[in-house]
Amino acid sequence: MRTGRIIAFVVGLTGAAATGTGAYALAGGAPCPPVCVAPGWLIGLGAPTAVVAGIVATSPIMLFTAFAAVGLGLVAAAVGNGHQSVQSYFPGGIFLLIGLGGNVVWFAVRNLDSTDGRAALFATGRPGLATLLSLTDTGGSVNDNPEVIMRVRIEPADGSPAFDSTRTLLVSRLAVPRPGQRLAVYYDPADPDRFVLVTEADTEAPDEARRLLERLRAESVRAAAPTVDPVERLGKLNALRLAGALTEEEFQRQKAKLDL
């Protein structure tokens, strides 16, 4: 994880804690620490700090954590004041539900984006070949697979004009693509910044995706094939002609194939 994101998360957690402490103080929690003399300031500074930290860290986790902290503060105040009625815990429970539920949904959406999201694009998206323009590590990872920001130029398979697209994706740590590399993709024509990479592991991918992968393999083979100097090749053909291994007709036919 990059230093900037680590700092953002630490600052965001601090803001969430301040927000929760302010909520505890406003609810009349006892005993209250010395900072509770200004609960309004704690909430007024803590909540925006958590939001800004979430923006910097490109994650809504800080915002949901601030909601959970407020809920925890309200519940703790009710417990500290010896409240017995369920109504006393209701506001805190709502904030806790929003905060904890929001984080659960966020992580679920991230997971769906790399699984069901692929299936949806394979069903409704369009295929294309992409050239990787740049790759930026976000510092995040899932199961040791890095989360990266990919900027690509997509050439639709249907011949539509190429376009640039940028998206944050997880890539295999064993096969991190390199700038300039050609990739098979499926993209959403309604949202060009929504695309997925097609790999050999995508057994559920449509036939068009398999053809894209075969095309890329053919390109790789051609790129790896050694180049032959046509002049050198012509000299060898002439030597074979002079040695009688090639007839004049065969020599002229092979010579016509050379890019001279």
Side-chain angles (χ1 to χ4, degrees):
M1 184 176 292
R2 291 185 301 180
T3 303
R5 294 193 79 197
I6 294 176
I7 294 175
F9 270 97
V10 171
V11 171
L13 288 175
T14 303
T19 305
T21 303
Y24 176 82
L26 285 177
C32 193
V35 292
C36 291
V37 296
W41 280 100
L42 286 174
I43 296 177
L45 293 176
T49 298
V51 172
V52 172
I55 294 174
V56 173
T58 63
S59 170
I61 291 176
M62 294 299 100
L63 175 61
F64 292 130
T65 302
F67 270 95
V70 170
L72 187 61
L74 295 176
V75 169
V79 172
N81 291 324
H83 292 163
Q84 300 296 323
S85 63
V86 174
Q87 290 85 348
S88 301
Y89 297 93
F90 187 75
I94 293 297
F95 275 94
L96 271 174
L97 182 62
I98 294 174
L100 297 179
N103 277 330
V104 170
V105 170
W106 165 246
F107 283 110
V109 168
R110 282 171 58 88
N111 184 59
L112 285 174
D113 188 58
S114 62
T115 54
D116 293 351
R118 299 179 67 79
L121 278 177
F122 285 153
T124 62
R126 296 178 182 174
L129 289 177
T131 301
L132 181 59
L133 302 178
S134 66
L135 192 73
T136 304
D137 186 5
T138 66
S141 64
V142 176
N143 296 328
D144 291 331
N145 292 321
E147 181 185 64
V148 298
I149 300 174
M150 300 184 66
R151 188 168 68 89
V152 299
R153 177 161 295 133
I154 297 177
E155 302 168 23
D158 61 8
S160 300
F163 59 91
D164 291 356
S165 181
T166 302
R167 190 182 185 191
T168 300
L169 289 171
L170 289 174
V171 296
S172 171
R173 62 186 176 86
L174 300 178
V176 178
R178 303 175 304 279
Q181 184 173 341
R182 298 266 283 170
L183 306 163
V185 300
Y186 257 72
Y187 67 94
D188 183 352
D191 182 4
D193 283 336
R194 183 168 174 257
F195 65 88
V196 293
L197 304 182
V198 182
T199 68
E200 296 290 349
D202 291 315
T203 55
E204 75 282 10
D207 291 341
E208 181 65 27
R210 317 310 304 178
R211 288 193 287 270
L212 288 176
L213 290 175
E214 291 174 2
R215 179 176 169 182
L216 287 178
R217 281 195 294 269
E219 289 182 2
S220 298
V221 170
R222 288 196 297 270
T227 57
V228 178
D229 184 355
V231 176
E232 179 182 350
R233 175 65 176 163
L234 178 60
K236 291 180 178 180
L237 289 174
N238 188 51
L240 291 173
R241 180 178 66 86
L242 295 176
L246 287 179
T247 65
E248 183 64 29
E249 182 181 353
E250 291 172 333
F251 172 77
Q252 294 298 333
R253 186 166 56 248
Q254 293 297 326
K255 178 181 177 182
K257 295 180 181 180
L258 298 178
D259 186 15
L260 294 173

